[in-house]
Amino acid sequence: MTENKTVLKWLDEMKELLQPDNVVWIDGSKEQTEELRAEAVRTGELFKLNQELLPDCYLHRTNPNDVARVEDRTFICTSKKEDAGPTNNWCDPNQMYEKLYNIARGSYQGRTMYIIPYSMGPIGSPLAKIGIEVTDSVYVVLNMLIMTRVDKKVLEVLGDSNDWVRGLHSRCQVDPENRYICHFPEDNTIISVNSGYGGNVLLGKKCFALRIASYQGWKEGWMAEHMLILGLENPQGEVKYIAAAFPSACGKTNLAMLIPPEYLRKKGYKVWTVGDDIAWMRIGPDGRLYAINPENGFFGVAPGTNEKSNFNALESTKKGTIFTNVALDLNNNTVWWEGLNKNLPENALDWKGNPWDASKFDKADKSTCAAHPNSRFTAPAENCPCISEEFNKGAGVPISAIVFGGRRAKCAPLVYQSKNWENGVFVGSAMASETTAAAAGAVGVVRRDPMAMLPFCGYNMADYFEHWLQMGKKLGDKAPKIFNVNWFRTDDEGNFVWPGFGDNMRVLNWILDRCDGKADATETAIGYVPKPEDIDLTDLDMDMDTLKDILTVDKEIWTKEAAEIEEHYKKFGDKLPQELRNQLENLKAGLK
Ligand code: GTP
Ligand code: SPV
Ligand code: MN
């Protein structure tokens, strides 16, 4: 397949370490993909779904001990501990290599080594990068074939370059005690053992496109972010692009594919999806910030996805999709999850493969759910009805606004604009959100998750903040404007006040109007908040007082928030950029 010496040498090392019985190069061809699907069905790794209703769709169940990213077992292995920083687990690279090689040694015996050369970003684009993953899991191969660009051309583009990311995945015994997801940014290397779950094993995704790429971006002057990218077309046919960072399971896929409310659709507003999870951004020749989506598919949260909440995501899953840990409706061999529709299947298997008793289903008790709360679909981006025509172009789209957000029941208003780039970096650095099922551990606990990158930043987060500040200096007055949104304010009964989903378009319109200097705002201690009359409530069952309520900046809550930010900042010690310290002081002064 290739004569690249760095590739051949690494593969020889891997073969010697892992001792596979067979070696298979993955070329992205239809024939090979078909053979692998058939093989996975034979071994039980995949279940073939109803091919009339869901052509080329399959179901996979992971080991119940292996259903989400494992942040406590994720490591950044840099030679200096300080380079991993206070928010990452760190281990000395030599020690970690030895430990992982001992775990992986001989683990492919009796198995096949699949070699996947892939491109993150359109093949050959100046913004794209290449990786090679070896794995012993057909499920991983089939997912990588959807999520990344796998093609013979990838190796042609690589030529004899050494600029590619090594990825070793071995399922081993799927032993949670020996599960490790490790990154060696100084060596462009990732090693993942004892897992078979998405974010832990599809090494092009979080491991490469965020942890390794964020490190590369720091060294090379660009940015790898946990952001969706969408294009908003106005009735004049102009498209403006927004990139938004929300923590896992906080609404990126939904926002990226939103369908505007009817009254806006009638006027001619449209949303185009460029990406739903990751953005790579560089300063373009005209000095603006340009973004590409390095992925080729969507690894989306299934529960809650339905025709109303996210029609485009649901459509995307109707062919060529792999479902993981959803329920199987035995009546017609299709899939089901909580929130898909109100027809609880009567004859179904839950995500573990056990008969599911709909009569015992209790929304509040996750253990009675048919689908795992972090069950996912892996769907080809090309299936998406609103995929942007820019998606396959390598040049990237110019970003007008960057939006941060998270789940905050009480604190952050529906939307506000930062005062300038520096203040926007402060807003991102102080971001917090209630935890979700996307990572193992407690759910619903507020934690600081700067720029939604807490689990994904491949280097010292204080250096990452400084990198953001530096990017702002380079962008100058061409920098995107920075905003913060919160779709998740709750009332006294704990219900979400804002309708969310398609109606979030009303907020996006205000954001773009602000970018164009067309909308008014009220200055507060935290930034510019909309005048209630500037959020269009046409056709919404919401009164002005309710809207005003979710736009309020409560001084008492924010004073507590400022104290918590101060606490959060202490972790970074002297490395915290002075600009951010000043920003915090400004906030405190503004709240007095
Ligand atoms: P990852 O793939 O883990 O990075 O998640 P994501 O950020 O793409 O989140 P996604 O869009 O899949 O949404 C996660 C959950 O949030 C789903 O259950 C959605 O139904 C819910 N959600 C998304 N948008 C909204 C919204 O505007 N309002 C409310 N209340 N819920 C939302
Ligand atoms: C996330 O958790 O942010 C995801 C899913 O997008 S995973 O690929 O598992 O990281
Ligand atoms: Mn994500």
Side-chain angles (χ1 to χ4, degrees):
M1 287 283 277
T2 179
E3 284 168 26
N4 182 310
K5 290 204 178 63
T6 60
V7 172
L8 295 175
K9 178 165 170 282
W10 181 73
L11 288 174
D12 280 343
E13 285 165 21
M14 289 300 107
K15 280 179 226 165
E16 197 180 309
L17 174 76
L18 304 160
Q19 299 160 26
D21 281 18
N22 303 301
V23 173
V24 171
W25 282 87
I26 302 301
D27 60 17
S29 68
K30 267 211 169 76
E31 303 72 47
Q32 189 185 49
T33 304
E34 228 15 89
E35 273 170 38
L36 289 168
R37 286 168 168 165
E39 155 92 10
V41 169
R42 262 197 310 278
T43 60
E45 236 183 305
L46 290 186
F47 177 85
K48 196 172 194 163
L49 293 163
N50 185 324
Q51 295 295 297
E52 261 157 53
L53 297 172
L54 296 169
D56 295 327
C57 291
Y58 295 83
L59 167 67
H60 172 79
R61 298 191 189 101
T62 65
N63 188 314
N65 79 31
D66 187 30
V67 293
R69 284 181 293 98
V70 278
E71 296 180 0
D72 57 334
R73 311 201 68 93
T74 300
F75 286 76
I76 301 296
C77 307
T78 41
S79 21
K80 282 193 270 163
K81 183 167 187 205
E82 198 192 12
D83 284 340
T87 59
N88 282 312
N89 298 310
W90 175 85
C91 181
D92 171 73
N94 293 326
Q95 258 175 21
M96 192 52 110
Y97 276 124
E98 194 184 317
K99 182 190 201 120
L100 299 176
Y101 284 170
N102 285 338
I103 293 173
R105 187 163 292 114
S107 62
Y108 283 18
Q109 276 169 20
R111 310 175 59 81
T112 298
M113 172 195 264
Y114 297 100
I115 306 172
I116 318 167
Y118 62 94
S119 175
M120 296 310 289
I123 298 171
S125 153
L127 280 80
K129 290 207 173 254
I130 288 170
I132 299 181
E133 174 166 356
V134 299
T135 178
D136 56 343
S137 158
V138 179
Y139 168 76
V140 167
V141 174
L142 291 168
N143 273 274
M144 287 292 283
L145 282 164
I146 299 170
M147 293 306 296
T148 72
R149 290 161 169 101
V150 181
D151 192 295
K152 283 194 178 122
K153 277 186 286 193
V154 170
L155 290 169
E156 286 167 28
V157 169
L158 183 64
D160 56 10
S161 163
N162 189 24
D163 184 9
W164 56 280
V165 171
R166 291 124 178 92
L168 157 60
H169 167 244
S170 179
R171 281 194 322 183
C172 302
Q173 289 77 43
V174 199
D175 169 12
E177 300 300 318
N178 277 305
R179 186 168 296 152
Y180 290 99
I181 320 299
C182 298
H183 308 73
F184 303 85
E186 292 156 357
D187 307 338
N188 275 347
T189 297
I190 304 157
I191 302 180
S192 161
V193 291
N194 277 301
S195 174
Y197 166 76
N200 298 331
V201 298
L202 308 179
L203 301 186
K205 195 172 175 58
K206 295 305 167 53
C207 299
F208 177 175
L210 288 179
R211 298 196 190 95
I212 298 285
S214 62
Y215 180 93
Q216 294 175 329
W218 175 43
K219 298 283 170 186
E220 298 166 8
W222 52 282
M223 307 167 93
E225 300 296 336
H226 192 197
M227 290 180 179
L228 68 93
I229 310 162
L230 67 82
L232 199 156
E233 183 174 334
N234 69 14
Q236 292 75 49
E238 299 158 345
V239 186
K240 295 223 162 94
Y241 295 91
I242 296 177
F246 310 154
S248 302
C250 289
K252 289 183 298 302
T253 302
N254 276 273
L255 191 68
M257 298 178 191
L258 82 71
I259 296 181
E262 198 186 345
Y263 84 98
L264 287 172
R265 277 202 314 275
K266 280 191 181 147
K267 287 188 190 169
Y269 284 95
K270 283 187 197 120
V271 165
W272 301 104
T273 308
V274 181
D276 82 323
D277 198 51
I278 300 178
W280 284 0
M281 306 195 287
R282 270 178 204 269
I283 300 177
D286 62 357
R288 295 187 68 192
L289 191 62
Y290 282 78
I292 63 161
N293 168 14
E295 301 193 280
N296 200 30
F298 309 121
F299 187 61
V301 179
T305 307
N306 61 54
E307 224 160 86
K308 250 190 101 218
S309 69
N310 196 344
F311 172 85
N312 290 315
L314 197 62
E315 277 302 297
S316 307
T317 66
K318 298 223 165 129
K319 56 180 192 224
T321 293
I322 300 172
F323 296 91
T324 301
N325 294 339
V326 301
L328 174 63
D329 185 342
L330 291 167
N331 279 342
N332 55 6
N333 279 336
T334 56
V335 287
W336 192 82
W337 49 77
E338 280 68 23
L340 173 63
N341 52 41
K342 296 220 164 77
N343 322 323
L344 308 197
E346 273 158 27
N347 182 20
L349 299 181
D350 68 12
W351 65 275
K352 293 180 183 164
N354 299 322
W356 184 64
D357 187 349
S359 70
K360 296 214 177 94
F361 173 59
D362 168 10
K363 240 185 2 204
D365 178 1
K366 293 287 178 208
S367 72
T368 67
C369 284
H372 188 274
N374 191 39
S375 54
R376 299 255 166 184
F377 52 80
T378 317
E382 63 179 19
N383 286 357
C384 181
C386 58
I387 195 76
S388 163
E389 58 180 50
E390 300 295 325
F391 168 73
N392 270 318
K393 296 186 189 157
V397 294
I399 300 298
S400 297
I402 288 176
V403 181
F404 295 123
R407 292 177 185 260
R408 293 307 297 273
K410 297 291 168 219
C411 185
L414 177 64
V415 59
Y416 65 100
Q417 181 184 2
S418 66
K419 295 175 182 174
N420 50 48
W421 181 273
E422 229 171 66
N423 180 239
V425 176
F426 169 71
V427 170
S429 76
M431 245 169 88
S433 190
E434 289 144 25
T435 52
T436 65
V443 168
V445 182
V446 173
R447 73 164 181 184
R448 299 284 143 192
D449 187 348
M451 284 83 171
M453 283 288 279
L454 180 70
F456 307 119
C457 183
Y459 61 106
N460 192 316
M461 203 128 212
D463 288 326
Y464 170 79
F465 296 154
E466 179 60 30
H467 181 48
W468 264 82
L469 293 167
Q470 290 303 327
M471 290 298 293
K473 290 198 178 109
K474 284 187 207 155
L475 286 158
D477 60 3
K478 299 210 168 108
K481 303 280 186 280
I482 302 181
F483 297 80
N484 192 86
V485 298
N486 178 20
W487 316 137
F488 299 96
R489 285 264 282 243
T490 54
D491 60 19
D492 294 338
E493 277 87 54
N495 304 307
F496 295 124
V497 178
W498 179 248
F501 302 98
D503 290 309
N504 293 334
M505 177 80 176
R506 302 166 193 265
V507 173
L508 298 184
N509 272 347
W510 182 79
I511 286 176
L512 287 183
D513 281 348
R514 285 295 294 173
C515 293
D516 290 345
K518 283 196 261 179
D520 204 354
T522 306
E523 187 168 354
T524 72
I526 65 170
Y528 302 108
V529 175
K531 304 251 183 217
E533 61 272 22
D534 287 336
I535 300 287
D536 191 343
L537 296 183
T538 305
D539 293 347
L540 255 196
D541 183 19
M542 177 179 272
D543 54 47
M544 265 300 172
D545 284 340
T546 312
L547 176 63
K548 273 184 198 154
D549 199 49
I550 56 174
L551 287 174
T552 49
V553 179
D554 183 304
K555 279 203 177 173
E556 209 172 301
I557 293 176
W558 274 94
T559 304
K560 208 169 138 247
E561 182 76 359
E564 282 174 26
I565 296 168
E566 189 153 14
E567 214 33 56
H568 155 66
Y569 270 1
K570 280 189 187 150
K571 280 199 284 290
F572 305 105
D574 291 345
K575 261 185 111 67
L576 186 81
Q578 186 58 39
E579 287 94 328
L580 296 185
R581 249 183 253 286
N582 299 345
Q583 287 289 335
L584 175 60
E585 290 314 312
N586 290 348
L587 172 64
K588 289 200 312 202
L591 287 165
K592 285 226 174 87

